[in-house]
Amino acid sequence: MTADATIATMTPVTAFAALEGDQNAVLVDVRTRAEWGFVGVPDLSSIGREALFVEWQSFPSMVVNSDFCEAVVDAAGGTLPEQILFICRSGARSLAAAESVSAFARSQGLTAVCINVVEGFEGDLDAERHRGKKNGWKAHGLPWRQT
C-alpha cells in the first residue's frame, strides 16, 4: 500500500468468509470495553478462531489510544499480521484504526493489508433509531456472544 492508499472494505458477511478462508487473517474489534461487555462480541469459535480486542478509544473520555498500533502487535503475538480486519460499532472508528495501522506498518517497512468492516458490529440506525437490525454483524446473523 502506498502512503495515500485507500483502506479496503468488506461487509460483515464477506469478512467472516475471509476469516474462515485465511487462517493468517485476524479480526480486531476496536470498540470500547463497555461495548464488548454490554453489546456483545463477534464469536469466531465456529471457525476455530478468536477475535483480538484492542480499544481504539476508551470510554468515557473517548481519547484515542496512543499505543493502539503497538497494542495490536502485542495482541497478535508480537508480529503484525499480513491481513487485518477492523470492526467497530458502525465502521467509522475501525476505518481510523485501519488507517493508523496501515501507516504504522509502512513506517516499519512492513506490508499489512488493513480492511475496514463496513456496517460494523451493530450497523446503522434503523427508522426507529435502533442499531443491530438494519445491517452489521449482528443483523446479518453472524455468530456473536455476550462477554
Side-chain angles (χ1 to χ4, degrees):
M1 296 183 127
T2 63
D4 61 350
T6 301
I7 299 298
T9 61
M10 286 185 183
T11 66
V13 172
T14 304
F16 187 78
L19 291 162
E20 188 173 33
D22 182 354
Q23 291 298 308
N24 295 316
V26 299
L27 177 67
V28 179
D29 189 328
V30 305
R31 295 174 299 145
T32 65
R33 292 180 194 284
E35 289 171 296
W36 301 329
F38 292 115
V39 180
V41 297
D43 182 0
L44 305 179
S45 63
S46 66
I47 58 172
R49 312 287 298 286
E50 291 184 24
L52 305 179
F53 300 95
V54 182
E55 289 181 307
W56 172 247
Q57 297 170 295
S58 296
F59 182 82
S61 69
M62 299 310 279
V63 171
V64 172
N65 177 356
S66 61
D67 296 321
F68 179 79
C69 296
E70 293 82 359
V72 169
V73 170
D74 288 345
T79 59
L80 193 64
E82 289 184 24
Q83 181 166 293
I84 312 167
L85 291 76
F86 294 87
I87 192 167
C88 67
R89 180 183 66 192
S90 60
R93 284 175 286 169
S94 52
L95 175 58
E99 290 170 340
S100 180
V101 171
S102 179
F104 173 79
R106 285 191 309 276
S107 76
Q108 302 296 308
L110 302 171
T111 301
V113 176
C114 295
I115 300 164
N116 183 34
V117 180
V118 295
E119 300 176 15
F121 187 71
E122 293 181 74
D124 298 318
L125 293 168
D126 64 16
E128 289 80 36
R129 303 203 43 81
H130 297 136
R131 294 187 191 275
K133 297 187 179 180
K134 182 176 181 180
N135 57 19
W137 188 279
K138 290 172 90 172
H140 287 291
L142 294 169
W144 66 279
R145 62 180 168 78
Q146 293 295 147
T147 59

